[in-house]
Structure formats: structure tokens, C-alpha cells
Amino acid sequence: TNAPVTVTVTGAAGQIGYALLFRIASGQLIGPDTPIKLRLLEIPQAVKAAEGTAMELDDCAFPLLQSIDITDDVNTAFRGTNVGLLVGARPRSQGMERGDLLQANGGIFGPQGAAINAGAAEDVRVLVVGNPANTNALIAQAHAPDVPAERFTAMTRLDHNRALTQLAQKLGVSVTEISKMTIWGNHSATQYPDLFHTEVGGKIAAEQVEQAWLADEFIPTVAKRGAAIIEARGASSAASAANAAIDHVHTWFNGTAEGDWTSAGVVSDGSYGVPEGLISSFPVTASGGRFEIVQGLQHDEFSRQRIDASVGELVEERDTVRELGLL
Ligand code: NAX
């Protein structure tokens, strides 16, 4: 077996936390040979609920689970952390302006970034799930100047997985037939799921579907799937979001398959005209514990406009948090 990995989950008593913790503890996050030490961070009112989840984790007798610590102190939560899953966030309440939402989340993700900077393990890797995920990740990253920026990522794997299944169902194929799917931009309704580089059975997906389906059904279905889940389930995506977080980190540690890539919100190096430093979704490969942005893809006008619109939204969010003094 490998050395144990300390995994901190914030918002552990929430609905994604409940769907996530059991899968981490069973070994699905990193792999079957890596013991896990769990740290659960919650706000004081929710610590008791997190303790209840910890009782259930005990009752699973997971062979890989070495310890569970529960805290409402951010520095305690991130001391020695190898993997930080930042799930807890401030949701938008009725009548809240976007600036207020960003401000409230800055109050969460700034201190968490600072705590990661101060006390996390040298190899710390961070995935931000809590919305607005890209900009929350940017805020946390900005507060951790001693941690390589590339260790801060935002989750668009759920959007990626949604896109895989929508396309598979349209073409009547298994998701395993599909490679090189990409989500570009922000994890929001402006995101751009790109079928012009996606391959199905070795041929470009966009050439196997009608343009009208691609533009008027596929893209909006993927981009608005979160709202459709709320409408149907009466609650937002939880198990699928937890599944995507598992996929993201598992890929980060274990790599992408030869000839394939995945989607993740990573710090831009300026590729594809995305301003350097923004945390935007790109096609990425992973190997040796690092994500790398896939280079050299060409975009037609249709794709370019959509990428630019989503990246433009990220720029606005960044400018707002900058004006608020949160970066
Ligand atoms: P819940 O409201 O069920 O749980 C959130 C938990 O976070 C609560 O238990 C709350 O007490 C805790 N929390 C709040 N502030 C905290 C802080 N400062 N420190 C520690 N814990 C804190 O939400 P849930 O459904 O679990 O969703 C969590 C987040 O994921 C939301 O922001 C949601 O918008 C986001 N999502 C992101 C997705 C993505 O693809 N990136 C998809 C699913 C989900 O919508």
C-alpha cells in the first residue's frame, strides 16, 4: 500500500458531501491501494450533522479509512492536507445581486486559500466545487501565493459527463465510444460544450449530428442541466456532482487514457486567447499528477464566439472580485 492521503472536504454535511464521503473512504478517489485520512470542515451549526455522517462512515468499516476529524476551524481543517475538496459555498438567495454573491463567497474562499497556503502539504491539490466554482477557485488561489497556481482547479467534469451521455444517447452508442469531449469556459450557463473535436468511433462528432441539434438542443441541454435536475428532483445535483469530483481527482492522480482528454477548470497560460491567470475550463490531459492544456485545436467562428462569451463572463467575475478587494 501507498502512504495515506489526507483529504479535506468542506461543506461535508451538505448533500454533495453526503454523496462524496463514502466514495472517498472506499478508495475511489485516489485508488484501491491508498489509505485515506478524512478531515471534514463545516460551519458550527452543521458540525453535529457532520458527526452523524462520520458515525455512518465508521459503520461502513472501510478498510482504507484511517481517521476522520471534524472541525469548524479552517486552519485545523487544512493542516497537512494533500487533497482539498472545496464543496461548501454560499448559495445565491432570493434577490441577491451577483456582486453580493461573489462577496459572500470571497469571505469563504479567501480564508480557505490562506489556510491552505499556511498549512497544507507541499503536494496539495485543490478542487473547487462550490459555486461560482471558477471564480471561487481564483479567489482561493490568489490567497495561496506559495502554492503553485496549477494546484487550484475548478470542476467542470459534471458538465463534461453530462455532454458525454447526451451525445451517446443521440447517436445510440456507449459513452465508451466517445473521446475528446471538451467543456470550455465557465461552469455556468455560458459554458461551451464542443463537439468539433470530439470523436465517436474515430470520426468527428459534429459531423455525425445535425447542426440544429448541436446548437439548439445539445448545447442548451448540457448548459442548463443543473436547472432541469432541480426542476425534476426538487433539489440540486448531488450524487452526480460527487461522482464528477471523484472523476476529476482520480484523473488528476492516475492520468488520462492515451489518445483522450477530459475537461477541467485550470489556470490559463494564455492558451486559446484565455487571459493568463483566469481559471477556465479547457481540454486537459493528465499525467504524472499534472494537468496540461491540450494545444493546437482550431476553432471556427461558431466555437470562437461561444468560447469568447464564456471567457468574457469569467473576466467580468474576476474584475468584480478585484474591485471588491477579494483578489
Ligand atoms: P448544501 O447546501 O447541501 O451543502 C453545503 C454545505 O456547505 C452546508 O452543509 C453548509 O453548512 C456548508 N458550508 C457553508 N459555508 C461553509 C464554510 N465557510 N465552510 C465549510 N462549510 C460551509 O449544498 P450542496 O448541494 O452540497 O452543493 C455545494 C456546492 O456545490 C454549491 O455551491 C453548489 O452550487 C455547488 N455545485 C457545483 C457543481 C459543479 O459542477 N461545479 C454542481 C453541483 C452543485 O450545484
Side-chain angles (χ1 to χ4, degrees):
T1 52
N2 302 325
V5 166
T6 299
V7 180
T8 299
V9 178
T10 76
Q15 54 154 1
I16 294 176
Y18 192 75
L20 182 59
L21 290 167
F22 297 86
R23 297 192 55 187
I24 299 171
S26 71
Q28 295 177 58
L29 187 73
I30 316 277
D33 300 318
T34 304
I36 298 290
K37 293 176 187 256
L38 276 177
R39 293 271 183 73
L40 313 185
L41 178 68
E42 261 296 350
I43 54 175
Q45 313 86 281
V47 163
K48 184 151 182 250
E51 285 168 355
T53 304
M55 290 163 68
E56 284 201 76
L57 285 162
D58 282 343
D59 295 349
C60 294
F62 286 122
L64 290 172
L65 184 57
Q66 289 194 346
S67 60
I68 311 171
D69 295 307
I70 303 161
T71 182
D72 61 8
D73 177 71
V74 68
N75 289 302
T76 307
F78 288 108
R79 197 163 297 137
T81 292
N82 304 107
V83 178
L85 300 175
L86 277 44
V87 178
R90 175 69 200 273
R92 189 189 289 256
S93 41
Q94 202 108 59
M96 201 178 196
E97 300 286 334
R98 198 165 65 156
D100 299 335
L101 181 73
L102 291 166
Q103 175 99 59
N105 279 294
I108 295 175
F109 288 86
Q112 289 181 358
I116 288 166
N117 197 57
E122 191 109 16
D123 67 353
V124 67
R125 289 179 176 79
V126 178
L127 169 62
V128 176
V129 175
N131 281 321
N134 300 57
T135 297
N136 287 342
L138 183 67
I139 293 169
Q141 185 271 320
H143 286 77
D146 304 325
V147 177
E150 65 182 40
R151 305 287 188 72
F152 285 83
T153 63
M155 189 165 96
T156 54
R157 186 64 168 262
L158 177 56
D159 309 298
H160 179 98
N161 288 342
R162 287 167 170 166
L164 287 176
T165 298
Q166 291 303 317
L167 179 63
Q169 290 179 351
K170 169 72 177 171
L171 294 176
V173 301
S174 158
V175 289
T176 58
E177 299 288 306
I178 305 175
S179 63
K180 302 182 178 174
M181 178 65 74
T182 306
I183 304 293
W184 297 89
N186 199 1
H187 167 69
S188 75
T190 67
Q191 66 176 269
Y192 176 50
D194 173 8
L195 294 185
F196 291 91
H197 301 96
T198 305
E199 295 177 8
V200 183
K203 286 189 295 208
I204 294 298
E207 292 165 10
Q208 302 178 56
V209 298
E210 311 85 61
Q211 174 67 22
W213 180 81
L214 190 159
D216 304 333
E217 284 191 49
F218 172 73
I219 295 173
T221 298
V222 173
K224 296 180 190 160
R225 185 71 165 180
I229 299 285
I230 293 173
E231 172 71 23
R233 210 173 81 86
S236 58
S237 323
S240 56
N243 178 70
I246 294 278
D247 281 354
H248 177 111
V249 175
H250 190 273
T251 299
W252 203 349
F253 275 80
N254 296 282
T256 39
E258 190 62 40
D260 199 4
W261 65 60
T262 188
S263 305
V266 297
V267 175
S268 177
D269 58 0
S271 295
Y272 301 102
V274 181
E276 212 177 319
L278 275 190
I279 297 189
S280 179
S281 188
F282 286 99
V284 294
T285 54
S287 72
R290 295 185 57 166
F291 282 128
E292 224 169 288
I293 298 170
V294 174
Q295 295 297 326
L297 304 179
Q298 304 297 321
H299 297 298
D300 66 8
E301 198 46 37
F302 179 90
S303 294
R304 191 68 256 172
Q305 276 177 10
R306 281 164 179 78
I307 294 169
D308 289 350
S310 195
V311 170
E313 184 183 53
L314 284 172
V315 169
E316 275 178 34
E317 289 182 16
R318 181 200 59 194
D319 291 348
T320 304
V321 296
R322 216 178 242 163
E323 281 159 25
L324 291 168
L326 298 171
L327 286 189

